[in-house]
């Protein structure tokens, strides 16, 4: 789809008119407005755009639009099947028992064939209309091999001048009653890790925790979310901030270095933009917002695949089967949305909004649609991939 123009949509704004692309994080402190994709393995792409348009308030009606042409529900495969994933959980518990790590995030990558004409922006429209998320976004840079649509509920980094804020998520359940003591303990571990990361680049004594283990409701599940805040020390910028905090603590583990070594040994497919950072930066105003790249789809055109990641944080208190079920819970609703052909909109249909900050509860259905959510896709029976089409892992510090 190299004939489609570059575009990014984050924070209620659409960005067009691509000016330049760089992998240098220092550019984020130069000038202009940027869309950012930081892959978990370390590939950083910063795209500066000329034209920024606010997409709120939304128009009342939509013209016909390109539809999403998704894979069949039976076409998804997984990098780790249930047996391999639960074995990985048991192996992490052995590392914990040996004192090497307190927590590690174990992920798997799902993939399915994607039509040559599939447009990631159409998938982003679908996600935004049926699965609102506070940090949703999309970016399409065909010449640079980047096509990503995210329904992320998690804040990685927000910058307002010198003030930095992070909102790590740890603890997931269908309802608040499903959250266990293990989930709260895991959240506190990761908050401590994020405090340490920000402390490396913030002024001494400025890092605080304004909120700890708040329950947030999202479509189909609930999360425990905390807030960590600090003030950048003099002379520090985006390059320092990313070097200190990337990859996000909530999708790695504690201690981070040990968790990354375990992840490298157990996971069989690179995460790519999944578990990285996605968002926007306004260098002129010294502001920006990056989400953790969870609940995220991306397209690998070279291999004709649509990919999606899911995972869970593993602690000593983890039950292997329960952790597998958590990965199922996180994936099922979004796979259901992506695994069908979305009809083109007509002038009588309300506009499906682009990715933007939205409510943390499901939106009302389009008139004529059933009120129930899409039927979840059980990913338990997905076949294990024979191999990953993704490139080898890389160093994880962006830039």
């Amino acid at each position: 789809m190299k004939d489609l123009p570059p575009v990014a949509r984050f924070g209620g704004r659409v960005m067009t008119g691509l000016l330049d692309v760089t992998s240098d994080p220092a550019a984020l402190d130069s000038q202009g407005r940027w869309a950012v994709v930081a892959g978990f393995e370390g590939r950083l792409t910063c795209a500066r755009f000329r034209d920024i348009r606010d997409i709120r308030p939304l128009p009342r009606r939509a013209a016909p639009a390109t539809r999403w042409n998704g894979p069949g529900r039976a076409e998804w495969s997984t990098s780790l099947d249930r047996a391999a994933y639960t074995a990985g959980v048991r192996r992490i518990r052995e590392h914990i028992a040996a004192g090497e790590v307190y927590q590690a995030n174990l992920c798997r990558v799902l993939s399915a064939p994607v039509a040559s004409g599939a447009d990631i922006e159409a998938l982003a429209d679908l996600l935004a209309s049926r699965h609102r998320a506070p940090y949703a976004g999309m970016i399409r840079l065909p010449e640079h091999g980047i096509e990503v649509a995210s329904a992320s509920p998690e804040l990685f980094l927000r910058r307002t001048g010198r003030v930095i804020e992070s909102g790590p998520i740890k603890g997931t359940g269908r309802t608040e009653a499903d959250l266990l003591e293990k989930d709260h303990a895991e959240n506190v571990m990761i908050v401590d890790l994020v405090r340490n990361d920000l402390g490396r680049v913030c002024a001494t004594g400025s890092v605080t925790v304004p909120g700890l283990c708040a329950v947030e409701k999202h479509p189909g599940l609930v999360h425990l979310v905390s807030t960590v805040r600090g003030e950048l020390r003099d002379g520090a910028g985006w390059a320092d901030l990313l070097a200190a905090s990337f990859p996000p603590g909530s999708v790695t583990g504690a201690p981070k270095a040990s968790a990354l070594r375990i992840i490298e040994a157990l996971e069989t497919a690179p995460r790519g933009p999944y578990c990285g950072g996605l968002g926007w930066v306004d260098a002129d105003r010294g502001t920006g917002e990056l989400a953790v790249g969870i609940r995220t789809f991306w397209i690998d055109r070279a291999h004709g695949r649509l990919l999606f990641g899911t995972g869970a944080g593993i602690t000593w208190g983890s039950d292997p089967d329960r952790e597998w079920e958590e990965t199922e819970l996180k994936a099922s609703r979004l796979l259901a949305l992506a695994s069908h052909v979305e009809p083109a909109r007509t002038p009588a249909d309300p506009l499906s909004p682009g990715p933007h900050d939205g409510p943390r509860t499901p939106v009302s259905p389009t008139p004529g649609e059933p009120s129930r959510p899409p039927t979840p896709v059980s990913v338990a029976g997905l076949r294990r991939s024979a191999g990953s089409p993704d490139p080898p892992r890389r160093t994880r510090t962006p830039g």
Side-chain angles (χ1 to χ4, degrees), residues 8-212:
R9 289 165 27 188
F10 291 105
R13 294 174 176 83
V14 58
M15 310 167 74
T16 56
L18 182 66
L19 294 174
D20 54 85
V21 177
T22 181
S23 61
D24 182 2
L28 302 178
D29 283 306
S30 59
Q31 60 183 0
R33 298 178 181 181
W34 300 81
V36 180
V37 179
F40 183 79
E41 284 74 38
R43 179 190 177 190
L44 178 66
T45 303
C46 306
R48 180 162 53 180
F49 288 87
R50 180 185 63 246
D51 304 315
I52 313 296
R53 178 171 57 86
D54 197 329
I55 56 177
R56 294 173 294 185
L58 296 169
R60 290 183 303 167
R61 301 293 181 189
T66 302
R67 68 182 185 179
W68 168 246
N69 185 10
R73 296 188 180 190
E75 294 183 284
W76 290 91
S77 59
T78 176
S79 60
L80 295 173
D81 60 17
R82 183 169 191 145
Y85 190 88
T86 53
V89 174
R90 289 189 288 272
R91 182 67 183 126
I92 291 173
R93 292 184 77 253
E94 291 173 3
H95 286 291
I96 295 171
E100 299 169 22
V101 70
Y102 300 108
Q103 191 258 25
N105 196 262
L106 183 62
C107 298
R108 56 196 178 100
V109 175
L110 312 176
S111 69
V114 68
S116 61
D119 179 8
I120 198 71
E121 189 172 18
L123 177 55
D125 281 340
L126 178 59
L127 296 179
S129 65
R130 302 290 296 279
H131 190 99
R132 293 286 186 97
Y135 305 106
M138 65 81 56
I139 181 168
R140 183 180 66 211
L141 299 174
E143 295 295 333
H144 298 272
I146 292 177
E147 298 176 73
V148 181
S150 178
S152 177
E154 182 173 2
L155 174 65
F156 173 33
L157 294 169
R158 178 186 292 124
R159 180 178 176 182
T160 307
R162 309 305 296 173
V163 176
I164 302 299
E165 188 169 294
S166 185
I169 286 177
K170 271 300 163 196
T172 299
R174 294 186 185 276
T175 68
E176 186 173 351
D178 293 330
L179 298 171
L180 305 176
E181 182 179 343
K182 171 258 183 190
D183 297 305
H184 288 79
E186 186 180 355
N187 190 290
V188 172
M189 285 184 206
I190 297 305
V191 165
D192 206 36
L193 172 62
V194 174
R195 288 177 62 244
N196 181 68
D197 285 351
L198 294 188
R200 295 168 57 195
V201 73
C202 285
T204 302
S206 71
V207 178
T208 61
V209 183
L212 184 65

Side-chain angles (χ1 to χ4, degrees), residues 268-338:
T268 60
R271 297 186 186 181
Y274 171 59
C275 293
L278 307 167
W280 60 273
V281 169
D282 186 334
D284 298 324
R285 298 184 179 184
T287 58
E289 188 173 86
L290 303 182
V292 178
I294 57 175
R295 317 294 144 76
T296 295
F297 293 92
W298 68 104
I299 293 178
D300 176 359
R301 289 289 174 190
H303 297 89
R305 307 289 290 182
L306 176 68
L307 300 103
F308 179 86
T310 185
I314 312 305
T315 66
W316 176 248
S318 290
D319 173 78
D321 291 319
R322 182 182 172 90
E323 300 298 349
W324 169 265
E325 293 300 332
E326 181 174 322
T327 71
E328 292 257 290
L329 174 63
K330 292 172 177 175
S332 61
R333 178 185 172 92
L334 288 165
L335 289 189
L337 287 174

Side-chain angles (χ1 to χ4, degrees), residues 41 264 270 388-395:
E41 284 74 38
E264 185 79 28
S388 170
D390 298 283
R393 296 183 182 275
R394 299 177 58 192
T395 304

